[in-house]
Amino acid sequence: MTINLIVIKTHLLHQIKDQYEALGISFSYHNHGKGPYHYASELNGVIFEIYPITKPEEKTDISTRLGFEVSHLNEILPQLENANWKILSLPKATTYGYTATIQDVDGRKVALTESHS
């Protein structure tokens, strides 16, 4: 079994898309049938989508935690701050690799691990 789809929902659709683009993710903007327009990207066989929350009273799920491998972690952190990412922990060596934790404008925590390729 492999994971093939991750969907996050937000009231801040375009802001969240811009933040994740700062990580190097390219999105297309489309809809399926009569569904809402949303952003989608394919990352190594996994579809990553950002959907709008359509009900004003519905809250964003900030308990979802994401993780991405990135190149040159120390070099991209200043760029991420400029894209309104909050840096929660600076890079450090962990059992999972050289890792930092950031937070998007919705409050989702994202682990960034430096790739070895």
Side-chain angles (χ1 to χ4, degrees):
M1 178 184 317
T2 58
I3 203 167
N4 67 357
L5 175 67
I6 297 171
V7 176
I8 60 174
K9 292 185 175 184
T10 182
H11 288 290
L12 306 169
L13 186 67
H14 304 296
Q15 289 176 13
I16 290 292
K17 185 268 302 179
D18 290 346
Q19 282 195 296
Y20 284 86
E21 280 186 334
L23 290 173
I25 301 170
S26 297
F27 291 95
S28 62
Y29 189 60
H30 64 266
N31 71 334
H32 307 285
K34 294 182 181 182
Y37 274 86
H38 62 280
Y39 290 102
S41 181
E42 183 185 342
L43 306 167
N44 298 316
V46 177
I47 303 298
F48 177 54
E49 295 182 319
I50 305 171
Y51 267 82
I53 293 176
T54 55
K55 298 177 184 173
E57 69 278 359
E58 190 176 345
K59 294 187 190 269
T60 302
D61 176 13
I62 62 169
S63 67
T64 300
R65 187 160 181 166
L66 302 170
F68 297 98
E69 279 191 4
V70 297
S71 299
H72 312 291
L73 182 55
N74 288 328
E75 293 174 21
I76 69 164
L77 282 180
Q79 298 167 25
L80 297 180
E81 281 185 303
N82 291 336
N84 294 317
W85 283 96
K86 184 176 181 181
I87 309 300
L88 298 180
S89 69
L90 293 173
K92 62 184 172 199
T94 71
T95 57
Y96 303 106
Y98 192 59
T99 303
T101 304
I102 60 177
Q103 187 176 47
D104 68 23
V105 293
D106 278 336
R108 266 180 229 90
K109 292 180 182 177
V110 177
L112 300 178
T113 303
E114 189 164 274
S115 62
H116 295 291
S117 51

